[in-house]
């Protein structure tokens, strides 16, 4: 029992681990001596248990929290330096921008002043928020197709942005790359109405990225002006369905704020920390959080009848499913992504020179864990020498999740990370 508890605690609270069968053997390449062996059958759970690493908070809160923290570190490194990014990036022009979707019909909302169009002052948690005032006239088809094309619009915007910055600097596109570089990191978020919008940290660097200073003409005001122009010009042609030709672009609401060193709330300027926390918060949320839809794919449309979701989300999924049957829309894979209301892009992306990568952060964490395991086995503090150690491993998938007894033990003996966070905050 103590050994099983230790194995479960090693998951760090993951509720849906991957179960693997197989073995791992470390051999000294010079002498042939077996340094360490691990067989899944000898483990207390009968399998090697590996974290699921799901980014969705509704699927695994523990793994999603790690993903959120990694995203926070990634964004912070691009704002103030660290993790291999020079600290000088904190002096580069940078802005925080939000790009919204166009309107597909009026919905219930909470305006800053006054009442909703329906005449009601809705509570913050009112279930009708984000749902159409008139479902019969709401453009569900355009809403789903917008989500399906949102990533293409962003890609078009990123191309236009470089052109607009070069234009304002009086440079050709060919010459621009020798003077400056545009770096960004973004996340996608679902609005309550089920439409995707993007939050992005955008920065102007020198030609070598964060390692080189930006030119003297690069300012946050120039960058903001270029973003407005590129956001307006970015347009992607859509399909023609039953004689209706679609074109997709960002909505008219575009919020751009310079990132400096004051508070995030209200009209004040933004802080590095507040921006990073705001962006990371949405990295673990999908349509299921904002819209009340699903966090996993549908196999059959008939499943909708048995799901406890609101009618607006149900209609968006139904529309995506029906559009997915059209041959001319096969490349959008709308049925596979119906639970995501048509959106199939990555929730967080960045340019190569913005900062570190999620892969680098995960590898650093894995290396730390290997060192801890080596010390627990009595190896030297640095673990086995990679230059003289041959590792032979073979693992096969054996299932997902915990047994009922393992679930009980994990819940009983895994410390509540929230308590630790509160202690550190104090």
């Amino acid at each position: 029992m103590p050994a099983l508890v230790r194995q479960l605690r090693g998951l760090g609270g993951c509720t849906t681990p991957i179960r693997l069968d197989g073995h791992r053997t470390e051999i000294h390449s010079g002498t042939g001596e077996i340094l360490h062996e691990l067989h899944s059958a000898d483990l207390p759970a009968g399998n090697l248990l590996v974290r699921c690493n799901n980014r969705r908070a509704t699927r695994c809160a523990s793994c999603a929290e790690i993903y959120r923290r990694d995203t926070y570190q990634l964004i912070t490194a691009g704002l103030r330096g660290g993790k291999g990014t020079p600290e000088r990036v904190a002096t580069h022009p940078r802005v925080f921008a939000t790009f919204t979707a166009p309107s597909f019909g009026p919905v219930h909302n909470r305006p800053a002043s006054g009442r909703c169009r329906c005449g009601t002052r809705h509570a913050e948690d009112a279930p009708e928020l984000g749902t159409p005032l008139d479902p019969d006239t709401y453009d569900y088809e355009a809403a789903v197709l917008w989500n399906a094309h949102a990533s293409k619009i962003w890609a078009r915007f990123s191309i236009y942005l470089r052109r607009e910055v070069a234009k304002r600097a009086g440079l050709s596109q060919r010459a621009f790359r020798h003077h400056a570089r545009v770096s960004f990191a973004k996340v996608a978020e679902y609005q309550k109405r089920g439409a995707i919008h993007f939050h992005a940290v955008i920065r102007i660097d020198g030609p070598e990225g964060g390692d080189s200073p930006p030119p003297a003409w690069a300012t946050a005001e120039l960058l903001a002006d270029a973003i407005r122009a590129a956001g307006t010009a970015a347009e992607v042609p859509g399909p023609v369905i039953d004689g209706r030709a679609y074109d997709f672009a960002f909505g008219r609401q575009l919020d751009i704020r310079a990132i400096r060193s004051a508070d995030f709330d209200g009209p004040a300027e933004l802080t590095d920390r507040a921006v990073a926390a705001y962006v990371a918060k949405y990295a673990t949320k999908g349509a299921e959080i904002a819209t009340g839809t699903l966090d996993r794919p549908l196999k059959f449309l008939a499943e909708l009848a048995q799901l406890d979701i609101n009618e607006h989300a149900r209609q968006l999924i139904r529309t995506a499913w029906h559009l997915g049957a059209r041959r001319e829309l096969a490349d959008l894979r709308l049925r596979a992504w119906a639970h995501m209301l048509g959106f199939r892009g990555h929730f967080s992306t960045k340019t190569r020179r913005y900062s570190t990568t999620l892969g680098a952060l995960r590898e650093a964490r894995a290396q730390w864990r290997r060192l801890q395991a080596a010390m627990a086995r009595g190896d030297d503090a640095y673990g086995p020498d990679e230059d003289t150690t041959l590792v032979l491993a073979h693992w096969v998938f054996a299932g997902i999740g915990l047994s009922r007894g393992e679930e009980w033990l994990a819940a009983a003996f895994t410390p509540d990370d929230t308590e630790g966070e509160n202690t550190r905050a104090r």
Side-chain angles (χ1 to χ4, degrees), residues 46 76 80 88 118-120 189 210 243 290 319 371 417:
T76 301
R80 62 174 64 172
R88 72 175 64 187
C118 69
T120 303
E189 180 201 359
T319 301
L371 292 175
D417 192 56

Side-chain angles (χ1 to χ4, degrees), residues 49-312:
L49 303 181
V50 181
R51 295 184 69 110
C52 67
N53 288 326
N54 198 308
R55 69 160 194 86
R56 293 178 181 270
T58 55
R59 298 288 292 274
C60 182
S62 173
C63 291
E65 177 61 15
I66 290 180
Y67 187 91
R68 184 193 66 78
R69 294 181 185 183
D70 283 351
T71 302
Y72 176 85
Q73 295 294 336
L74 184 150
I75 298 295
T76 301
L79 290 172
R80 62 174 64 172
K83 310 293 184 184
T85 304
E87 293 183 358
R88 72 175 64 187
V89 297
T91 65
H92 293 193
R94 61 260 176 90
V95 301
F96 179 64
T98 298
F99 303 81
T100 61
S103 174
F104 308 110
V107 298
H108 294 277
N109 61 4
R110 298 181 74 247
S113 61
R115 299 175 179 270
C116 176
R117 291 188 184 183
C118 69
T120 303
R121 192 183 299 275
H122 298 292
E124 290 186 6
D125 57 350
E128 63 270 19
L129 288 177
T131 62
L133 295 176
D134 183 3
D136 294 334
T137 60
Y138 192 80
D139 199 345
Y140 282 98
E141 191 172 272
V144 169
L145 291 174
W146 152 264
N147 285 342
H149 289 81
S151 296
K152 292 182 180 179
I153 302 170
W154 176 267
R156 184 70 56 88
F157 160 78
S158 64
I159 295 173
Y160 288 176
L161 176 58
R162 293 172 176 86
R163 295 178 182 175
E164 294 294 338
V165 173
K167 182 191 300 183
R168 281 153 180 76
L171 300 170
S172 66
Q173 296 181 46
R174 183 183 297 273
F176 175 72
R177 70 184 65 178
H178 301 296
H179 292 79
R181 177 187 295 267
V182 176
S183 301
F184 67 80
K186 74 166 177 64
V187 294
E189 180 201 359
Y190 282 90
Q191 297 171 304
K192 281 189 173 295
R193 57 182 172 138
I196 281 289
H197 67 175
F198 297 114
H199 301 290
V201 176
I202 306 176
R203 191 182 72 209
I204 297 182
D205 299 325
E208 302 302 322
D211 295 325
S212 54
W217 51 258
T219 63
E221 291 74 20
L222 180 146
L223 178 57
D225 187 52
I227 291 172
R228 292 188 188 93
T232 302
E235 186 172 315
V236 172
V240 178
I241 300 178
D242 298 332
R244 178 183 178 183
Y246 286 94
D247 289 296
F248 299 103
F250 289 124
R252 289 179 294 179
Q253 293 182 342
L254 175 60
D255 182 56
I256 306 173
R257 300 172 64 186
I259 303 172
R260 302 195 193 278
S261 58
D263 291 332
F264 185 45
D265 297 329
E269 296 170 337
L270 307 187
T271 64
D272 298 343
R273 178 176 298 180
V275 170
Y278 189 80
V279 172
K281 177 177 66 174
Y282 292 108
T284 63
K285 296 181 179 180
E288 68 279 359
I289 298 294
T291 313
T293 180
L294 311 176
D295 62 359
R296 62 194 70 208
L298 285 171
K299 292 184 178 180
F300 306 100
L301 184 61
E303 297 176 45
L304 275 180
Q306 301 176 357
L307 297 174
D308 183 20
I309 59 177
N310 64 55
E311 188 56 36
H312 179 56

Side-chain angles (χ1 to χ4, degrees), residues 343-355:
F343 179 69
R344 65 188 190 284
H346 292 288
F347 268 79
S348 62
T349 59
K350 73 173 192 67
T351 54
R352 185 166 59 92
R353 299 290 183 89
Y354 174 79
S355 69

Side-chain angles (χ1 to χ4, degrees), residues 10-25:
L11 294 172
C14 176
T15 56
T16 55
I18 310 300
R19 308 184 77 98
L20 300 175
D21 279 337
H23 62 86
R24 184 179 190 274
T25 305

